Amino acid sequence: MYARRAAQLLQELSTCDEGQLPPYNSDKFDQVIRECEEHSKQFQSLIREKNEKNLDIEAKNEDHYGSFIHHLSLIRNKRCLMAYVYKRAEVIQSYRWKVGRVLPKEIHDKLNFSEQEYFKNHCAVIDSYTKDLDLDLTVDVIPPKDPYIRVRVLSEIGEVSLGDHSVSLSKDSLHSLRRTDAEPVISQGLMEEFME
Amino acid sequence: MESWEEEGSVSGSGLGAGTDVELVRQAWRNEKAAPEILPFEEALVRRLREQIQLQEERAEELKSEGMEDVVVSLHHMDSDRALFLLKSYLRLRLHKIEKHLFFYSSHTHLFARLSPEEQLFCNSCVDIMTQHLKQSVLNKLPQHYQSVTRQSTSSEDDDMVDSPQLDTFVFCKTKTDVGAFQLDDTGEEIVDLVVDDLYVLRYKSIRGLVESGQINLI
């Protein structure tokens, strides 16, 4: 059946949990591309045959309908391929908000080259928006319950001055800090929120 | 007890009773419930940012005056919450733009609803997405099928562009008496919209009322 492989490609994506990605299936993707080329070739040869028979342009013989089916199959394949890449790109850009600017290796390995590039570009676009606005939108994702949070220091930071006093942030110590002071350090991975 | 009430009036002049916070909250609710992007509340956002700034300064002042920690922290709390609301509002809008990139960039009346920064964001996103789609798919397809927005060269309009679902149902509350309101084009379905009442309607039919501020989404 025409366009079945393209549908399988999308099925792979839709059986994945929300926000997860299967590895980029370049084998199947290239097969669908080859299918498209085949459709295009068939389409053109049918049109040629029709023209050679020297029929009226309006005439709808078997060649006309045959070529139409190749045209429609090609469009369906195109829509599936575009949906595949677009849907993946949507998941990829959501990582900027959930994971941050640097992707963990297991996610990074699932992307193809163009997708890795897309992620980098998309991060840059968000960065330039937040810079124009002078507001970092990627922090404060959860409504604040308390202006202070309890944090555990993950690696030796040393003496840091916060507002009017300085704190010594040594490894594994617990502190209660202003959320706004702590969040940049947390996203750098130097400390974590401490939950009891 | 006495001092608490006093404090209440202090924060009342700040963000507590701030109608702007209430207004942003409503704008945020509308934005969250509406399937399409709404006009950017530029003046409101600017005012709120100024107020947050003032509130922060006020908190620092109180601290240096030796005010109790709990009071200072209440002030911080208040501005943190307002800041969260503001960021959440802006984030919501970015996500909406990201979702229907090509649609917003090609419809001028909707594109005009974005702030200048958002317009820049939208255009850059369109650029990088187009580049990505071309690189991964379109350049590999036969010649007449390489357009991002059209299925093939024989398409007459942009039949590859996904648009927001305006048919979806929304919960809404009327702010003023609208009276008999026509829900469809044929005039067969008419509903009487009374002030402060709750309705579940198709977004498409009340779209105009949301924009003119006669109805709030919840």
mmCIF file of all heavy atoms in Angstrom, chain A residues 98-117:
data_model
loop_
_atom_site.group_PDB
_atom_site.id
_atom_site.type_symbol
_atom_site.label_atom_id
_atom_site.label_comp_id
_atom_site.label_asym_id
_atom_site.label_seq_id
_atom_site.Cartn_x
_atom_site.Cartn_y
_atom_site.Cartn_z
ATOM 1 N N LYS A 98 12.353 22.571 29.988
ATOM 2 C CA LYS A 98 12.340 21.533 31.026
ATOM 3 C C LYS A 98 13.739 21.163 31.494
ATOM 4 O O LYS A 98 13.963 20.920 32.670
ATOM 5 C CB LYS A 98 11.665 20.264 30.490
ATOM 6 C CG LYS A 98 10.178 20.422 30.278
ATOM 7 C CD LYS A 98 9.585 19.093 29.819
ATOM 8 C CE LYS A 98 8.357 19.310 28.981
ATOM 9 N NZ LYS A 98 8.223 18.255 27.963
ATOM 10 N N VAL A 99 14.674 21.058 30.554
ATOM 11 C CA VAL A 99 15.993 20.537 30.910
ATOM 12 C C VAL A 99 17.046 21.645 30.961
ATOM 13 O O VAL A 99 17.964 21.596 31.768
ATOM 14 C CB VAL A 99 16.455 19.461 29.900
ATOM 15 C CG1 VAL A 99 17.674 18.738 30.425
ATOM 16 C CG2 VAL A 99 15.338 18.489 29.609
ATOM 17 N N GLY A 100 16.911 22.628 30.078
ATOM 18 C CA GLY A 100 17.910 23.688 30.037
ATOM 19 C C GLY A 100 18.656 23.685 28.725
ATOM 20 O O GLY A 100 18.262 23.021 27.769
ATOM 21 N N ARG A 101 19.732 24.457 28.719
ATOM 22 C CA ARG A 101 20.436 24.717 27.468
ATOM 23 C C ARG A 101 21.279 23.530 27.007
ATOM 24 O O ARG A 101 21.560 23.381 25.829
ATOM 25 C CB ARG A 101 21.299 25.959 27.663
ATOM 26 C CG ARG A 101 21.578 26.712 26.410
ATOM 27 C CD ARG A 101 22.250 28.020 26.731
ATOM 28 N NE ARG A 101 21.300 29.028 27.158
ATOM 29 C CZ ARG A 101 21.399 29.739 28.272
ATOM 30 N NH1 ARG A 101 22.400 29.551 29.085
ATOM 31 N NH2 ARG A 101 20.486 30.636 28.573
ATOM 32 N N VAL A 102 21.713 22.727 27.969
ATOM 33 C CA VAL A 102 22.569 21.590 27.604
ATOM 34 C C VAL A 102 21.770 20.300 27.743
ATOM 35 O O VAL A 102 21.226 20.001 28.804
ATOM 36 C CB VAL A 102 23.806 21.536 28.519
ATOM 37 C CG1 VAL A 102 24.708 20.384 28.102
ATOM 38 C CG2 VAL A 102 24.544 22.859 28.471
ATOM 39 N N LEU A 103 21.698 19.556 26.641
ATOM 40 C CA LEU A 103 20.912 18.329 26.667
ATOM 41 C C LEU A 103 21.746 17.176 27.219
ATOM 42 O O LEU A 103 22.930 17.050 26.908
ATOM 43 C CB LEU A 103 20.460 17.969 25.249
ATOM 44 C CG LEU A 103 19.412 18.860 24.615
ATOM 45 C CD1 LEU A 103 19.100 18.390 23.216
ATOM 46 C CD2 LEU A 103 18.143 18.861 25.464
ATOM 47 N N PRO A 104 21.108 16.318 28.045
ATOM 48 C CA PRO A 104 21.809 15.116 28.501
ATOM 49 C C PRO A 104 22.161 14.243 27.295
ATOM 50 O O PRO A 104 21.463 14.276 26.281
ATOM 51 C CB PRO A 104 20.775 14.416 29.377
ATOM 52 C CG PRO A 104 19.664 15.368 29.582
ATOM 53 C CD PRO A 104 19.746 16.428 28.555
ATOM 54 N N LYS A 105 23.231 13.447 27.451
ATOM 55 C CA LYS A 105 23.731 12.690 26.309
ATOM 56 C C LYS A 105 22.670 11.762 25.713
ATOM 57 O O LYS A 105 22.550 11.649 24.502
ATOM 58 C CB LYS A 105 24.955 11.867 26.730
ATOM 59 C CG LYS A 105 25.723 11.324 25.558
ATOM 60 C CD LYS A 105 27.002 10.660 25.972
ATOM 61 C CE LYS A 105 27.750 10.109 24.772
ATOM 62 N NZ LYS A 105 26.976 9.145 23.985
ATOM 63 N N GLU A 106 21.867 11.120 26.586
ATOM 64 C CA GLU A 106 20.906 10.143 26.037
ATOM 65 C C GLU A 106 19.864 10.808 25.143
ATOM 66 O O GLU A 106 19.376 10.181 24.195
ATOM 67 C CB GLU A 106 20.258 9.299 27.144
ATOM 68 C CG GLU A 106 19.327 10.046 28.078
ATOM 69 C CD GLU A 106 20.059 10.508 29.327
ATOM 70 O OE1 GLU A 106 21.301 10.709 29.257
ATOM 71 O OE2 GLU A 106 19.393 10.699 30.361
ATOM 72 N N ILE A 107 19.538 12.073 25.411
ATOM 73 C CA ILE A 107 18.606 12.771 24.513
ATOM 74 C C ILE A 107 19.345 13.234 23.256
ATOM 75 O O ILE A 107 18.888 13.030 22.130
ATOM 76 C CB ILE A 107 17.972 14.000 25.211
ATOM 77 C CG1 ILE A 107 17.119 13.530 26.396
ATOM 78 C CG2 ILE A 107 17.110 14.792 24.226
ATOM 79 C CD1 ILE A 107 16.457 14.648 27.152
ATOM 80 N N HIS A 108 20.510 13.810 23.463
ATOM 81 C CA HIS A 108 21.317 14.332 22.369
ATOM 82 C C HIS A 108 21.547 13.269 21.295
ATOM 83 O O HIS A 108 21.483 13.541 20.094
ATOM 84 C CB HIS A 108 22.654 14.816 22.942
ATOM 85 C CG HIS A 108 23.462 15.602 21.972
ATOM 86 N ND1 HIS A 108 24.435 15.022 21.199
ATOM 87 C CD2 HIS A 108 23.441 16.909 21.649
ATOM 88 C CE1 HIS A 108 24.972 15.951 20.433
ATOM 89 N NE2 HIS A 108 24.392 17.107 20.685
ATOM 90 N N ASP A 109 21.780 12.034 21.724
ATOM 91 C CA ASP A 109 22.075 10.955 20.771
ATOM 92 C C ASP A 109 20.870 10.561 19.928
ATOM 93 O O ASP A 109 21.013 9.902 18.897
ATOM 94 C CB ASP A 109 22.585 9.717 21.520
ATOM 95 C CG ASP A 109 23.983 9.965 22.059
ATOM 96 O OD1 ASP A 109 24.588 10.973 21.656
ATOM 97 O OD2 ASP A 109 24.448 9.157 22.882
ATOM 98 N N LYS A 110 19.669 10.935 20.381
ATOM 99 C CA LYS A 110 18.474 10.549 19.612
ATOM 100 C C LYS A 110 18.192 11.520 18.467
ATOM 101 O O LYS A 110 17.355 11.261 17.626
ATOM 102 C CB LYS A 110 17.253 10.531 20.533
ATOM 103 C CG LYS A 110 17.238 9.349 21.482
ATOM 104 C CD LYS A 110 16.006 9.427 22.344
ATOM 105 C CE LYS A 110 15.977 8.290 23.334
ATOM 106 N NZ LYS A 110 14.904 8.490 24.321
ATOM 107 N N LEU A 111 18.873 12.659 18.474
ATOM 108 C CA LEU A 111 18.594 13.674 17.460
ATOM 109 C C LEU A 111 19.510 13.505 16.257
ATOM 110 O O LEU A 111 20.641 13.052 16.389
ATOM 111 C CB LEU A 111 18.815 15.073 18.049
ATOM 112 C CG LEU A 111 18.166 15.355 19.396
ATOM 113 C CD1 LEU A 111 18.346 16.822 19.760
ATOM 114 C CD2 LEU A 111 16.703 15.012 19.392
ATOM 115 N N ASN A 112 19.037 13.909 15.094
ATOM 116 C CA ASN A 112 19.944 13.924 13.945
ATOM 117 C C ASN A 112 20.641 15.287 13.907
ATOM 118 O O ASN A 112 20.374 16.165 14.716
ATOM 119 C CB ASN A 112 19.196 13.592 12.645
ATOM 120 C CG ASN A 112 18.394 14.766 12.107
ATOM 121 O OD1 ASN A 112 18.236 15.781 12.782
ATOM 122 N ND2 ASN A 112 17.885 14.622 10.909
ATOM 123 N N PHE A 113 21.521 15.447 12.956
ATOM 124 C CA PHE A 113 22.355 16.647 12.957
ATOM 125 C C PHE A 113 21.532 17.928 12.858
ATOM 126 O O PHE A 113 21.737 18.883 13.604
ATOM 127 C CB PHE A 113 23.355 16.566 11.796
ATOM 128 C CG PHE A 113 24.167 17.814 11.654
ATOM 129 C CD1 PHE A 113 25.161 18.115 12.578
ATOM 130 C CD2 PHE A 113 23.926 18.706 10.614
ATOM 131 C CE1 PHE A 113 25.905 19.264 12.468
ATOM 132 C CE2 PHE A 113 24.660 19.877 10.497
ATOM 133 C CZ PHE A 113 25.657 20.155 11.426
ATOM 134 N N SER A 114 20.561 17.910 11.939
ATOM 135 C CA SER A 114 19.749 19.113 11.738
ATOM 136 C C SER A 114 18.949 19.462 13.001
ATOM 137 O O SER A 114 18.732 20.626 13.316
ATOM 138 C CB SER A 114 18.817 18.887 10.558
ATOM 139 O OG SER A 114 18.030 20.007 10.341
ATOM 140 N N GLU A 115 18.530 18.433 13.718
ATOM 141 C CA GLU A 115 17.764 18.672 14.942
ATOM 142 C C GLU A 115 18.637 19.265 16.048
ATOM 143 O O GLU A 115 18.198 20.132 16.802
ATOM 144 C CB GLU A 115 17.125 17.369 15.429
ATOM 145 C CG GLU A 115 15.954 16.950 14.568
ATOM 146 C CD GLU A 115 15.401 15.591 14.967
ATOM 147 O OE1 GLU A 115 16.182 14.728 15.402
ATOM 148 O OE2 GLU A 115 14.194 15.384 14.838
ATOM 149 N N GLN A 116 19.878 18.787 16.121
ATOM 150 C CA GLN A 116 20.807 19.348 17.110
ATOM 151 C C GLN A 116 21.036 20.827 16.821
ATOM 152 O O GLN A 116 21.062 21.665 17.728
ATOM 153 C CB GLN A 116 22.139 18.596 17.077
ATOM 154 C CG GLN A 116 22.015 17.172 17.570
ATOM 155 C CD GLN A 116 23.235 16.337 17.241
ATOM 156 O OE1 GLN A 116 24.224 16.852 16.727
ATOM 157 N NE2 GLN A 116 23.157 15.048 17.527
ATOM 158 N N GLU A 117 21.169 21.111 15.546
ATOM 159 C CA GLU A 117 21.377 22.494 15.138
ATOM 160 C C GLU A 117 20.134 23.335 15.468
ATOM 161 O O GLU A 117 20.232 24.459 15.950
ATOM 162 C CB GLU A 117 21.618 22.513 13.638
ATOM 163 C CG GLU A 117 22.454 23.662 13.173
ATOM 164 C CD GLU A 117 22.941 23.398 11.772
ATOM 165 O OE1 GLU A 117 22.171 23.699 10.848
ATOM 166 O OE2 GLU A 117 24.040 22.864 11.621
#
